[in-house]
Amino acid sequence: MVHPTTGWFGATRLKTRHLSLLLHLYEQRSVLRAAEAANMTQPAASKLLAEMENLLGVPLFERHARGVEPTWYGQVLIRRARSALSEIGRAHDEIAALRSGRMGQAAIGTVVNPGTTLVPQAIAAVKRDFPDILIKVEMDYSRPLVAKLLDGQLDIVVGRIMGPEGAGELDFEPLADEPHAVIVRAGHPLTRRPRITHADLADYGWIMPPAASVLRSRLDAVFLEHGQPPPQNIVETASLPVIIHLLRHSDLLTALPAESVGPYLQTGQMCVLPIELGVRMEFFGIIRRRDQLLSPGAERVLDALRSTARRLYTDLEPSQTGTVPPANEGGGDGV
């Protein structure tokens, strides 16, 4: 058995080439293919793997006739190695940005609704005062965004903590919830009806989020609760530009927070149908890794997100912060 101090000392002697090979082994499941991907010989790759296992005192991969499979120890190290190499790459990019005269960078992930309101306004505020900060924005569901946050690929996520995995490593500042409305194009046949029921909604085609999302399951449940089968004439997409284009050029319906298509509602190109759909999502908020020291650029974006959120969401308390339990353990969130 390896002494804990020896194991810790061994871990500190791991080099980036060890970690890089580890990820290649995980991806390729073959020492030969991993060696080729890492531009080294198979004996060199085998030697590096043996070095890692000797330093840590545990087997990282199981060898079999078809190749290699990570052990439980290997899976832990792989997860941390991916984060460590991502951080090293980010540090290289940030140093390059500083050397070239920019003031650093920040990588933000966001779900759709705050991605169309809060995040753009906060970024605009940052760019007015700090035009040389490079800000990267990625829009997706909460689950993949939080996974990238945990891996060190993102600095901040505006979304939800959707499951228990990694929740203990995260801080969550709640911002607002998201009541969903039924959105249609201007002139849609349903806009001429004084009263609309869920049965009326079921007669039309729908733009739906993917089947694995929480919003999809809640939409299906709402129809079932009102004695209607879930819509069968559907288009599945998570892309807001695609949703907007489909709405404007068809009689399809969709469920979105009204704020996410605010400009189209204000100009009369789209309408909110007069029906209480009965679908709400949990609070979204600012999510960060608890142990992460943000770069100066990311700190400025965080400050701008908070100040913009206080203006947009009047019920937000400035000191409202902390760790919250996961919102839902099934699938990704709706928007």
Side-chain angles (χ1 to χ4, degrees):
M1 179 176 178
V2 178
H3 191 276
T5 303
T6 305
W8 174 86
F9 179 70
T12 63
R13 293 174 60 192
L14 290 174
K15 300 179 175 63
T16 54
R17 62 192 182 118
H18 289 116
L19 302 183
S20 179
L21 175 64
L22 186 79
L23 296 186
H24 285 307
L25 285 167
Y26 174 72
E27 293 165 359
Q28 303 295 334
R29 295 297 204 273
S30 160
V31 176
L32 175 60
R33 291 195 298 272
E36 292 172 348
N39 293 317
M40 63 177 66
T41 64
Q42 182 174 353
S46 297
K47 182 180 178 182
L48 273 183
L49 176 57
E51 284 180 7
M52 281 189 282
E53 293 180 325
N54 289 334
L55 286 170
L56 295 171
V58 294
L60 298 176
F61 285 87
E62 293 179 354
R63 285 77 164 172
H64 50 71
R66 298 183 305 277
V68 294
E69 287 291 333
T71 63
W72 285 110
Y73 305 112
Q75 291 179 28
V76 170
L77 186 58
I78 287 162
R79 177 160 51 88
R80 298 297 182 180
R82 186 181 291 114
S83 177
L85 291 175
S86 176
E87 287 294 325
I88 292 171
R90 295 279 305 283
H92 180 273
D93 291 344
E94 191 165 333
I95 290 171
L98 291 170
R99 288 185 61 188
S100 66
R102 301 197 300 269
M103 293 184 63
Q105 60 181 302
I108 312 301
T110 179
V111 294
V112 170
N113 187 18
T116 60
T117 51
L118 167 66
V119 173
Q121 292 183 41
I123 290 174
V126 172
K127 297 297 282 185
R128 280 195 298 269
D129 296 330
F130 305 99
D132 293 326
I133 293 179
L134 172 62
I135 302 176
K136 303 177 182 179
V137 182
E138 182 171 344
M139 187 178 289
D140 205 335
Y141 295 115
S142 289
R143 189 180 293 277
L145 291 176
V146 169
K148 290 184 178 181
L149 178 69
L150 289 168
D151 277 348
Q153 299 176 52
L154 295 172
D155 296 308
I156 301 166
V157 166
V158 182
R160 301 173 184 82
I161 301 175
M162 299 305 297
E165 185 176 354
E169 303 175 44
L170 301 170
D171 279 338
F172 180 80
E173 301 176 33
L175 297 181
D177 63 352
E178 290 184 309
H180 281 57
V182 182
I183 310 294
V184 299
R185 66 171 177 84
H188 190 285
L190 287 178
T191 60
R192 296 190 287 270
R193 298 190 186 184
R195 182 175 176 274
I196 298 172
T197 67
H198 286 76
D200 297 325
L201 300 180
D203 290 338
Y204 285 85
W206 275 76
I207 307 167
M208 290 279 198
S213 70
V214 172
L215 177 57
R216 177 66 172 276
S217 64
R218 292 185 182 178
L219 285 168
D220 289 347
V222 161
F223 280 101
L224 292 172
E225 288 166 4
H226 287 82
Q228 301 295 322
Q232 300 300 309
N233 176 12
I234 61 173
V235 176
E236 282 190 3
T237 181
S239 169
L240 186 60
V242 173
I243 293 171
I244 289 172
H245 191 82
L246 286 170
L247 286 176
R248 293 179 63 192
H249 299 282
S250 73
D251 285 340
L252 294 171
L253 287 64
T254 198
L256 286 173
E259 294 89 346
S260 62
V261 289
Y264 297 93
L265 297 174
Q266 294 165 13
T267 57
Q269 300 177 66
M270 294 183 187
C271 301
V272 174
L273 291 182
I275 181 173
E276 179 61 42
L277 183 60
V279 172
R280 299 180 75 92
M281 298 298 294
E282 291 83 358
F283 271 64
F284 64 82
I286 298 171
I287 309 172
R288 294 178 296 141
R289 291 210 319 270
R290 188 180 301 169
D291 60 351
Q292 182 184 18
L293 180 63
L294 293 177
S295 69
E299 282 283 1
R300 292 188 178 102
V301 172
L302 177 61
D303 291 342
L305 286 170
R306 286 170 170 161
S307 60
T308 305
R310 285 194 290 271
R311 176 170 52 81
L312 292 176
Y313 315 123
T314 54
D315 293 335
L316 175 65
E317 293 293 334
S319 62
Q320 199 172 20
T321 182
T323 302
V324 298
N328 192 301
E329 296 186 9
D333 56 337
V335 286

